Amino acid sequence: MAVQQRKTPAQVDVKAESKLDAQVGKTWGRDRDVSFGTILISLGILVMSPIWVMYTYISCNAYQCAMSAPALEIYNSPDTLAAIQTLLLREVPRFSPYAARLFFTWLAFQAALYAFLPAQIGYGQRTPAGHILPYKVNGLLAWFISHSIYAAGGLYFGWWKLSIIHDNWGGLLVAANMYGYFLTFFCFIKAYTFPSHPADRKFSGSFIYDLLMGIEFNPRIGKLFDFKLFHNGRPGIVAWTMINLSFAAAQYEKIGYVTNSMILLNLLHATYVLDFFYNEDWYLRTIDIAHDHFGFYLAWGDSVWLPWLYTLQSHYLVRNPVDLTPVQFAFVFTVGYIGYFIFRSVNHQKDIVRSTNGECMIWGKPAKVIRTSFVTSDGKTHKSLLLCSGYWGLSRHFNYVGDLLISLAMCMTCGTQHLLPYFYIIYMTILLLHRIQRDHTRCKGKYGKYWDEYMKAVPYKLIPYVY
């Protein structure tokens, strides 16, 4: 498989900047040639995503997380437009200077930790233009420092209540949206005016699609402050567990104790988050870093969608406390940690194969790999491996089975009275099925005939003998 190039491509070292202005000809990664239908879907995502976040906020804040309640109130009103206006004026959160200070202080603090804490240097996958970029890996230390200050400030020094995030949730939502939109348009303009790696940019010709999916692959400030890694991991994922703890504190203030369902939810989320940071170097080679460009999808998504919707279960449990029976607790715990075991074991196998160049044992047998070659737009040929034994012989994305089980367990902590806390597993199922297709398109473009060989060796995408 070869990548078409301009007639006079620049032959440069991967550490040097390419002379190409953007990805041209045949390439892999984010779509460049998009249809009118794709543009319409992109417009729908840009419009509906903020509306959905606000709708879930209103559902929880005013209707005990009953997802249908706001819609039914509007539907049952004799004047629909007046009902919508009344609902929005009554329930949409207002700008809060205090909440804005909280949010932007948090953002600046996380940026300082990312920039100045001691860090190992990890490396991502080779980009379509041939770059192998360095990343600062210090998220685990940042997580411990952040949570230590949060706990000490609330429990010892009395600087704030532990429920401070819960108590300012609406104002924080407004501030996060302000930043998410600013970051989206800043990166869109930056891609045209001062891109970090011009040869890795992609232009579709559609303002809507490029705004949503991003033009730059790895926008940066300097050599090491990477927008993608920072905004996905810090502040979003560091905040994930802190948000849950704050809502647990609010539950304690409300009913006098923390339910076992809230404890289990915090435990499952903390396991997932700490695994992310402990294996942050591994994350550099996942689809978020190795495939996605940085547009609204990640800029606004990391700032708003992730912290507000990934934590819906804790919002629900504050308003609808659930006391699980011992059997229910054990069942949800088991589902969650079986999922985590699968998720971690599957990814560990791939890491072993990469680190040993395929010279290792998987499940007691020599690893089966397909040795591939691919060409980047700087004209250079590179080697890679496709693992097709162990878990990766069962399906091409068996790690997602573990991911989905963890996600399901997180939702099951909320019982079965309402649908809204199950949004996360519904969303993750859609997201991961779409990722499977995106990964297929990317790998087909990158590996060509080798990917065809891999599909024959591993015919199932997710669940063996099912899909």
Side-chain angles (χ1 to χ4, degrees):
M1 182 272 292
V3 178
Q4 295 178 4
Q5 308 166 48
R6 291 187 175 186
K7 293 181 179 180
T8 57
Q11 305 294 322
V12 296
D13 184 80
V14 296
K15 295 182 180 179
E17 184 55 78
S18 172
K19 300 298 183 182
L20 296 174
D21 293 325
Q23 285 292 294
V24 295
K26 188 176 180 182
T27 183
W28 72 83
R30 195 215 81 174
D31 289 340
R32 184 192 57 226
D33 304 313
V34 297
S35 65
F36 180 71
T38 299
I39 295 171
L40 283 181
I41 293 172
S42 300
L43 179 61
I45 293 172
L46 286 167
V47 172
M48 293 307 298
S49 295
I51 292 175
W52 174 246
V53 172
M54 187 59 66
Y55 185 87
T56 62
Y57 169 82
I58 293 173
S59 296
C60 282
N61 195 55
Y63 300 91
Q64 299 294 106
C65 291
M67 188 170 70
S68 60
L72 287 175
E73 180 179 310
I74 294 169
Y75 177 79
N76 292 325
S77 173
D79 188 336
T80 300
L81 291 179
I84 293 174
Q85 183 180 24
T86 300
L87 179 70
L88 293 178
L89 288 174
R90 187 181 74 230
E91 302 299 344
V92 169
R94 305 294 190 268
F95 173 78
S96 163
Y98 177 68
R101 288 198 300 272
L102 283 179
F103 178 82
F104 288 105
T105 299
W106 166 256
L107 188 70
F109 178 62
Q110 291 303 312
L113 293 181
Y114 180 74
F116 299 116
L117 280 181
Q120 294 182 341
I121 301 299
Y123 293 89
Q125 287 187 343
R126 194 177 301 276
T127 72
H131 300 287
I132 297 180
L133 300 177
Y135 295 84
K136 295 191 73 171
V137 178
N138 58 11
L140 189 61
L141 182 57
W143 187 92
F144 277 109
I145 290 174
S146 300
H147 284 70
S148 297
I149 293 174
Y150 166 72
L155 294 173
Y156 183 77
F157 294 106
W159 294 337
W160 47 69
K161 294 168 60 179
L162 290 181
S163 61
I164 184 173
I165 301 173
H166 166 273
D167 298 342
N168 293 277
W169 197 235
L172 289 169
L173 175 58
V174 175
N177 268 285
M178 291 169 56
Y179 179 70
Y181 279 106
F182 164 77
L183 184 63
T184 297
F185 284 98
F186 173 80
C187 289
F188 186 83
I189 295 169
K190 178 182 180 302
Y192 282 93
T193 56
F194 54 103
S196 301
H197 304 96
D200 271 318
R201 293 179 299 172
K202 280 191 176 179
F203 298 95
S204 69
S206 165
F207 167 80
I208 292 171
Y209 185 80
D210 286 347
L211 185 70
L212 174 67
M213 298 307 296
I215 296 171
E216 275 202 89
F217 195 28
N218 293 99
R220 294 186 167 204
I221 296 175
K223 294 183 178 180
L224 290 174
F225 198 99
D226 185 82
F227 283 28
K228 276 200 292 188
L229 183 60
F230 171 73
H231 285 97
N232 194 47
R234 283 76 59 77
I237 295 183
V238 170
W240 188 346
T241 42
M242 198 174 291
I243 291 166
N244 284 338
L245 289 170
S246 184
F247 276 72
Q251 187 189 67
Y252 180 84
E253 292 178 4
K254 181 179 180 181
I255 64 174
Y257 71 103
V258 179
T259 61
N260 61 357
S261 58
M262 181 69 88
I263 292 171
L264 180 54
L265 175 67
N266 273 265
L267 183 62
L268 289 169
H269 279 173
T271 301
Y272 194 79
V273 168
L274 287 171
D275 178 89
F276 172 90
F277 286 120
Y278 183 79
N279 297 284
E280 192 174 12
D281 183 80
W282 156 83
Y283 176 71
L284 303 178
R285 292 171 291 279
T286 63
I287 194 169
D288 289 341
I289 299 294
H291 177 100
D292 292 330
H293 288 233
F294 198 79
F296 177 90
Y297 176 76
L298 290 179
W300 181 88
D302 290 341
S303 303
V304 180
W305 184 273
L306 188 158
W308 264 260
L309 295 185
Y310 285 23
T311 59
L312 270 178
Q313 298 87 29
S314 61
H315 309 181
Y316 177 86
L317 290 173
V318 167
R319 297 164 175 88
N320 304 275
V322 174
D323 291 298
L324 299 172
T325 68
V327 172
Q328 290 171 333
F329 186 97
F331 178 73
V332 176
F333 181 94
T334 301
V335 170
Y337 281 95
I338 286 175
Y340 174 70
F341 174 80
I342 293 172
F343 172 79
R344 179 45 45 212
S345 299
V346 176
N347 289 315
H348 181 62
Q349 284 187 350
K350 181 179 281 188
D351 285 344
I352 290 175
V353 168
R354 281 173 172 162
S355 63
T356 62
N357 194 33
E359 303 297 330
C360 61
M361 305 293 284
I362 299 292
W363 287 352
K365 299 179 181 179
K368 295 180 181 179
V369 299
I370 297 172
R371 298 188 179 273
T372 74
S373 64
F374 61 94
V375 180
T376 48
S377 59
D378 57 5
K380 295 181 179 180
T381 300
H382 310 277
K383 304 293 183 181
S384 186
L385 300 174
L386 294 172
L387 174 61
C388 49
S389 63
Y391 288 111
W392 298 93
L394 299 178
S395 73
R396 298 173 220 160
H397 296 278
F398 200 76
N399 54 325
Y400 290 170
V401 172
D403 222 337
L404 290 172
L405 285 174
I406 302 170
S407 301
L408 177 61
M410 294 170 181
C411 299
M412 289 170 65
T413 60
C414 297
T416 57
Q417 294 300 308
H418 289 89
L419 179 61
L420 189 59
Y422 284 82
F423 168 78
Y424 185 63
I425 180 61
I426 296 170
Y427 167 73
M428 286 299 293
T429 301
I430 296 170
L431 175 71
L432 295 180
L433 289 176
H434 185 236
R435 280 192 173 187
I436 288 172
Q437 183 56 44
R438 286 198 296 149
D439 186 64
H440 167 77
T441 302
R442 172 178 174 268
C443 291
K444 176 67 176 175
K446 181 177 182 179
Y447 297 116
K449 65 180 181 180
Y450 300 108
W451 188 249
D452 293 333
E453 183 182 348
Y454 176 67
M455 288 192 296
K456 291 179 181 178
V458 186
Y460 299 104
K461 298 178 181 180
L462 180 63
I463 302 174
Y465 306 102
V466 176
Y467 176 72

